[in-house]
Amino acid sequence: MADGARAVSRDTSERRREITTMIRSRGSVQVAALSEMFGVSMQTIRKDLHYLEGRGVATRAYGGAISTEVVNAPVEPAIETKRASHTEAKERIGRLAAGMVGAGESIMLDSGTTTLQIARFLPDDEDLTVVTNDFDILSVLVQKRKIKTVMLGGELRRRNMAFYGAQTVAALDDLLLDKVFLGVDGLDIERGVTTHHEPEAQLNRRMVEAAREVVAVTDASKFGKICLHRIIEIGELNALITDAAAPAYIDEAAARLGFALYKA
């Protein structure tokens, strides 16, 4: 091997060792930051991350990679499993969240079995507008004769019976909402609100941009779980509605980060 080739190989190996150390110590890395740090192209960094993914060090994520040790909720439960789990807590959360919706408001209900409960408990008020991408939520809303309902189109994902894609995101471009209620797959103080499905994360971020207030709704089983795709940081929430089984550190986080905390 020529001296130049050996140098390149050595540089590549050393860079990948350093990136591995960073991933394991920080939990995640970003392509753009690594590119600037090592003085190489983003394409080179992407190749490095692809290499490390193949060796089980990291899992690729939007704009970077997350340590495989951090991603602790790798499998999304089937919709039937979600519907049957923590049903009493979800009902209490849904009732409390529905009570926070004011007359004349326009709200967004993200897909999920907890947001489904919000739809169940909403008053049938002709001044209320509800936007959703969830088929099951639509099925509940059509039984309420007065609520104005807006369904976001797109491609149906049968795993959770909701619509996603470019068409779904584009439908939000001209909407200004009072509140968005976000369902949660994972919620961690350091890693934020996360989900299993990348198109869902992209859509959720657009929902957040369209709303004046962002409210996450989740039962206590989701705390400490981290999924592959981050939606927002915890500090971007205006409020969090959960149940009485939520860990004590959530109270401290609410006080420190400035979001309202409600326990049903």
Side-chain angles (χ1 to χ4, degrees), residues 6-264:
R6 289 193 187 95
V8 170
S9 178
R10 185 169 59 251
D11 290 345
T12 299
S13 298
E14 179 61 26
R15 185 178 63 251
R16 288 173 177 175
R17 280 195 294 270
E18 290 187 40
I19 293 173
T20 298
T21 300
M22 293 171 62
I23 289 173
R24 287 173 173 164
S25 64
R26 300 180 183 180
S28 64
V29 292
Q30 293 294 308
V31 170
L34 292 176
S35 173
E36 182 176 352
M37 180 184 300
F38 290 103
V40 296
S41 69
M42 289 195 289
Q43 181 61 29
T44 296
I45 295 297
R46 291 189 186 99
K47 289 179 180 178
D48 290 341
L49 297 180
H50 180 74
Y51 173 88
L52 296 177
E53 183 176 38
R55 278 146 184 78
V57 174
T59 301
R60 292 299 307 278
Y62 182 78
I66 299 175
S67 169
T68 51
E69 297 173 358
V70 168
V71 183
N72 59 13
V75 179
E76 180 183 6
I79 185 66
E80 293 79 13
T81 302
K82 291 181 179 180
R83 287 169 180 160
S85 64
H86 307 281
T87 53
E88 292 184 5
K90 290 175 181 178
E91 286 184 3
R92 294 195 303 271
I93 293 167
R95 187 187 297 274
L96 178 57
M100 293 172 58
V101 177
E105 287 192 332
S106 298
I107 68 168
M108 177 82 200
L109 293 182
D110 177 30
S111 63
T113 52
T114 305
T115 46
L116 176 65
Q117 296 302 320
I118 301 175
R120 284 187 57 213
F121 290 110
L122 283 174
D124 192 7
D125 189 335
E126 62 185 6
D127 292 328
L128 179 62
T129 299
V130 182
V131 184
T132 189
N133 66 314
D134 187 291
F135 182 83
D136 289 339
I137 290 175
L138 176 65
S139 299
V140 169
L141 293 177
V142 295
Q143 299 176 44
K144 298 177 184 283
R145 301 292 184 178
K146 297 179 181 179
I147 290 179
K148 181 179 179 181
T149 302
V150 179
M151 185 68 185
L152 302 181
E155 180 179 352
L156 177 64
R157 182 175 185 248
R158 286 180 171 79
R159 187 169 184 86
N160 67 335
M161 295 303 293
F163 292 87
Y164 301 100
Q167 181 181 348
T168 322
V169 174
L172 285 166
D173 285 349
D174 297 322
L175 297 182
L176 299 174
L177 306 167
D178 292 297
K179 293 185 179 76
V180 57
F181 292 92
L182 287 179
V184 167
D185 286 333
L187 192 151
D188 179 82
I189 299 303
E190 298 299 326
R191 303 295 174 186
V193 180
T194 57
T195 183
H196 295 278
H197 189 47
E198 183 176 7
E200 181 170 12
Q202 294 174 343
L203 178 62
N204 286 166
R205 286 191 288 268
R206 184 65 190 90
M207 292 175 181
V208 168
E209 292 173 357
R212 290 192 301 107
E213 295 183 47
V214 182
V215 184
V217 291
T218 179
D219 64 83
S221 70
K222 306 296 178 58
F223 291 113
K225 290 186 176 180
I226 303 167
C227 305
L228 182 57
H229 303 287
R230 179 158 54 197
I231 301 169
I232 56 173
E233 302 283 356
I234 298 298
E236 296 179 64
L237 294 175
N238 296 103
L240 170 63
I241 306 176
T242 185
D243 61 79
Y249 65 77
I250 295 299
D251 296 79
E252 185 277 331
R256 176 168 54 88
L257 297 173
F259 60 85
L261 178 64
Y262 304 90
K263 296 182 181 179

